[in-house]
Amino acid sequence: ADPAAVTEARAHQDRLTKPRGALGALEDVAVRLAGAAGCSPPPMPEPAALAIFAADHGVHAQGVTPWPQEVTQQMVANFVAGGAVANAFAAQVGASVTVVDVGVAADLPHAPGLVHHKVAYGTADLSAGPAMTPEQTVAALEAGISVARRLVAEGARCLITGDMGIANTTASAALVAAFTGHDPAEVTGRGTGVDDETYARKIEVIRRALDANGLRPGHAAAPLAALGGVGGLEHAAIAGFILGGAAARVPVLLDGVIAGSAALAAAALAPAAVDHCVAGHRSAEPGHAAALEYLGLRPLVDLELRLGEGTGGLLAHPLVCAAVRVMHDVATFDSAGVTEKDA
Amino acid sequence: ADPAAVTEARAHQDRLTKPRGALGALEDVAVRLAGAAGCSPPPMPEPAALAIFAADHGVHAQGVTPWPQEVTQQMVANFVAGGAVANAFAAQVGASVTVVDVGVAADLPHAPGLVHHKVAYGTADLSAGPAMTPEQTVAALEAGISVARRLVAEGARCLITGDMGIANTTASAALVAAFTGHDPAEVTGRGTGVDDETYARKIEVIRRALDANGLRPGHAAAPLAALGGVGGLEHAAIAGFILGGAAARVPVLLDGVIAGSAALAAAALAPAAVDHCVAGHRSAEPGHAAALEYLGLRPLVDLELRLGEGTGGLLAHPLVCAAVRVMHDVATFDSAGVTEKDA
């Protein structure tokens, strides 16, 4: 982050016609984005572009979710047809929607809004060894970088992460354990709704995955080995998307636990990328809170969402815009002739 | 609330292409608004209209705030000129802004967007006796009802409460104590920024105000006597605005502690009005949390804002729209051909 822009943004906030600090966490968002952009006020983060990275997971075979794997491709069709919650939220906040196949376990028909970057027909089972080869990991990262670069070239001034992949909260929890050192039981949640038996199995599967990949919680993992070992293709693509947005100095609005775990990988590869990230929300998944805490990011929306797709990031977009708009539009005490409080 | 619409809205939520309950608190918002509107899905709460009710306070003389009283009228000029944070947020979410003088202690020039409903040149000092006469209380309530009715007639489908009045968190804390039974020390905050000495004086002033008006915390107060005794003209107007919105079956998005304390009065006068209220945010003022808890409302945004003006309500508007839009736009499992999870 640019320290001069941070200082100038903070000073500007204090000249505006409002009590100091009265916008709470939104003042910090505006100041952080000034630092990331290298100027104050930072550019308005509009228009926004949501990219939903879709992929399947070999670990699905371990029975970690009650949802059939075909739902990944069915939901891709739903996104492309405009029928999912992410589409409704994107329409509400004026964001574009791009769906990216980085690893769905089926050939998908061409359709407007669907980008083909398929690296594999799903990952291998992470509980038995590496989910991805090193080449696949890099290819998925590059797919995310390329999508970010294209969306920015097309005019996006804010990138929003989205994901679709049945079983992907299992990979997310494994990544969070590997990168933050938390025990799997602390960072594993019930995803889109699993019963007690499945939940216990999910934790056990994650323990085996860490073992099988030589990842011990509390011992710093080599970023690419951890990402490829227990991550998903959409996790790697989102990590690349974050890196691509950061390289373009555009804010990246993170969705839920899939984005949070991908951000851990991105941060391990390039720590400064975190300066460009804004945590859209905190989901109901415990691993998400652990990831955000590790990254030092404060979530803007906290409403017990647990859907993914980018929905939490989309909801936060108007809040981020509002935070930045204050820096552009609001009068100062001097310019508005408003008296400041007694010292 | 209409129980059939509530049941239909809940059932509809469960047919949509998302795991049940995955939208957390937003599902409850959509279901509540269906009940309030008497139909499912409820109408989209757009466009929104913000009304900022401005007034002054006799209790300012007691030294409860470091801000000069003139700041009320200076900020009214700032709102009318479009230079305040509320204007920036309203522009961001596409809400109109109406400023209503219900009791500023000065004659204000006519200006576009400024509505004159002046009931008095500020209230009397609530720490010495009733802040308002019964006639003034009713006149301010009627002003709020009239503004709500006019905005709905002009096309607003969501009303957002706003306020401006130097010293008005003192009146708010007194109202919260009177209606909820909390001790003044529990529900008094530092407003727009007071030091320890002023804070202690503020609590003492509120204790005297309750005494002077025969309001004992824990003893149910007659609504109009409490509102007129320790409230402000903007509190009474906002209570009327809530009643007017509820009568028109339009959602009323509440801002911070001034709106929360006014909503306590509105709820005491007409309990069903609360069905039409959505708590936009939770401010840093402790009395606000107490008021929302008493009303059974869950705030949507929780970012330590403490500005007022309607800023917290405006920030929540896109979240409320998103919650309702889901009910209109999202495909069902059947219509989208998406497989449901195993039972």
Side-chain angles (χ1 to χ4, degrees), chain B:
Chain B
D2 179 335
V6 167
T7 304
E8 167 52 24
R10 187 68 71 191
H12 185 66
Q13 284 281 4
D14 291 347
R15 287 191 296 268
L16 301 178
T17 45
K18 59 171 184 56
R20 286 188 183 198
L23 290 177
L26 291 186
E27 297 195 13
D28 299 328
V29 168
V31 170
R32 283 189 70 232
L33 292 185
C39 60
S40 174
M44 279 297 293
E46 293 182 303
L50 168 69
I52 304 177
F53 295 92
D56 279 306
H57 296 266
V59 73
H60 185 275
Q62 297 295 329
V64 290
T65 168
W67 294 85
Q69 185 168 272
E70 309 89 79
V71 171
T72 302
Q73 68 187 89
Q74 291 168 347
M75 284 302 297
V76 166
N78 199 15
F79 296 137
V80 170
V85 175
N87 300 99
F89 283 10
Q92 186 62 42
V93 306
S96 66
V97 179
T98 301
V99 187
V100 186
D101 173 10
V102 276
V104 179
D107 287 311
L108 302 180
H110 285 270
L114 176 60
V115 177
H116 296 266
H117 275 295
K118 197 191 291 289
V119 173
Y121 289 84
T123 52
D125 179 355
L126 56 86
S127 72
M132 296 179 266
T133 66
E135 293 72 23
Q136 288 173 335
T137 310
V138 170
L141 274 164
E142 287 176 345
I145 293 170
S146 145
V147 171
R149 186 175 299 184
R150 205 195 85 198
L151 291 173
V152 173
E154 289 173 0
R157 291 299 170 261
C158 180
L159 300 178
I160 305 178
T161 72
D163 71 275
M164 182 67 221
I166 296 300
N168 68 6
T169 62
T170 298
S172 299
L175 286 171
V176 173
F179 280 110
T180 68
H182 279 283
D183 186 84
E186 293 167 1
V187 295
T188 301
R190 288 167 187 269
T192 46
V194 304
D195 58 23
D196 289 348
E197 190 191 326
T198 309
Y199 180 61
R201 182 163 57 235
K202 190 171 170 181
I203 294 172
E204 190 47 41
V205 163
I206 292 165
R207 286 199 199 287
R208 275 195 279 131
L210 295 172
D211 274 353
N213 285 281
L215 300 166
R216 283 187 301 159
H219 291 73
L224 283 180
L227 180 59
V230 298
L233 290 154
E234 74 274 48
H235 295 84
I238 291 171
F241 189 65
I242 292 167
L243 297 175
R249 305 196 86 158
V250 164
V252 182
L253 197 35
L254 304 178
D255 187 34
V257 69
I258 285 80
S261 60
L264 290 169
L269 291 165
V274 179
D275 293 344
H276 299 266
C277 293
V278 176
H281 85 130
R282 175 166 58 189
S283 81
E285 286 284 295
H288 192 203
L292 294 180
E293 194 179 339
Y294 189 87
L295 293 165
L297 295 175
R298 173 178 173 154
L300 296 179
V301 171
D302 191 358
L303 294 172
E304 289 154 40
L305 268 65
R306 49 183 179 81
L307 179 54
E309 305 180 358
T311 50
L314 288 164
L315 282 181
H317 184 249
L319 305 181
V320 178
C321 289
V324 175
R325 186 177 285 271
V326 165
M327 304 277 285
H328 290 266
D329 287 8
V330 174
T332 62
F333 282 104
D334 277 353
S335 72
V338 175
T339 311
E340 287 208 58
K341 75 171 179 176
D342 299 341

Side-chain angles (χ1 to χ4, degrees), chain A residues 23 39 91 103 127 219 231 234 255 263 281 283 291:
Chain A
L23 290 177
C39 59
S127 71
H219 292 71
E234 73 274 50
D255 187 34
H281 85 130
S283 82

